[in-house]
Amino acid sequence: MGQQQLLLLVLSIVIVGLAVVVGIQAFTENQQKSEIDRYVDQGVAMSGDIVAFYLKPTAQGGAGRNADALGDLAISDLGYREDRTDTWNGFERSGVVENGVVRYVGASDTHPFLHIHRFPQSPGDPRVEVHVFGPSPNCVVTRSDIYEVSPTWSDGKADNEAPDAPAGCSW
């Protein structure tokens, strides 16, 4: 083989190698975005369960439009089985684990929230929070981050900071 042919062969191998690396990186990023979208969809659906619980009369096992009842909200109140309970950033929460994903529900002093991520969680895993500031669809706030990679949530707040409530939202 001539020198020119060897140079072309090496150049081709380098180009193919770079293309493979870029393709793998693009696939990984797309996979994380897809996972975040799936968690947001689950969280928004579950936020509807929170509103339904709030509106349901107490005689039927709901909160009866009593916002104080949301402070003790558990995943079982929303019709899911309860697999896990723990404390995260000072908040008591209960959750259900299905297909390697945990969906927690908890409550701050002002509103209930959902926390969704892989279980068990590892650095680099996407996670999503859904905060429900009132019974209107306009009062649901979602945010995401990459566990132990992103220094803050997608709204710029830290783990122990709730997102800002939309104007006019309250229970």
Side-chain angles (χ1 to χ4, degrees), residues 45-100:
M46 289 178 75
S47 72
D49 295 338
I50 291 172
V51 172
F53 174 77
Y54 170 76
L55 296 173
K56 187 187 293 185
T58 53
Q60 295 177 347
R65 295 181 181 259
N66 177 3
D68 293 336
L70 297 175
D72 297 324
L73 188 64
I75 197 81
S76 57
D77 294 328
L78 305 180
Y80 300 89
R81 74 174 188 281
E82 189 172 306
D83 294 337
R84 300 194 42 79
T85 57
D86 64 20
T87 303
W88 177 77
N89 281 335
F91 299 109
E92 295 294 321
R93 62 186 189 170
S94 62
V96 58
V97 179
E98 282 181 0
N99 301 322

Side-chain angles (χ1 to χ4, degrees), residues 65 101 125 170:
R65 295 181 181 259
V101 175
D125 287 348
S170 69

Side-chain angles (χ1 to χ4, degrees), residues 43-167:
V44 169
M46 289 178 75
S47 72
D49 295 338
I50 291 172
V51 172
F53 174 77
Y54 170 76
L55 296 173
K56 187 187 293 185
T58 53
Q60 295 177 347
R65 295 181 181 259
N66 177 3
D68 293 336
L70 297 175
D72 297 324
L73 188 64
I75 197 81
S76 57
D77 294 328
L78 305 180
Y80 300 89
R81 74 174 188 281
E82 189 172 306
D83 294 337
R84 300 194 42 79
T85 57
D86 64 20
T87 303
W88 177 77
N89 281 335
F91 299 109
E92 295 294 321
R93 62 186 189 170
S94 62
V96 58
V97 179
E98 282 181 0
N99 301 322
V101 175
V102 65
R103 295 182 305 259
Y104 284 110
V105 65
S108 72
D109 293 339
T110 59
H111 66 282
F113 64 89
L114 299 156
H115 197 195
I116 303 168
H117 57 78
R118 285 186 198 156
F119 185 80
Q121 192 171 21
S122 302
D125 287 348
R127 59 185 183 161
V128 166
E129 276 189 351
V130 179
H131 293 258
V132 188
F133 290 101
S136 164
N138 298 332
C139 297
V140 176
V141 176
T142 63
R143 65 184 187 173
S144 62
D145 83 340
I146 305 300
Y147 182 61
E148 292 190 359
V149 174
S150 306
T152 61
W153 288 90
S154 55
D155 63 357
K157 306 262 183 164
D159 256 351
N160 55 356
E161 296 177 283
D164 297 328

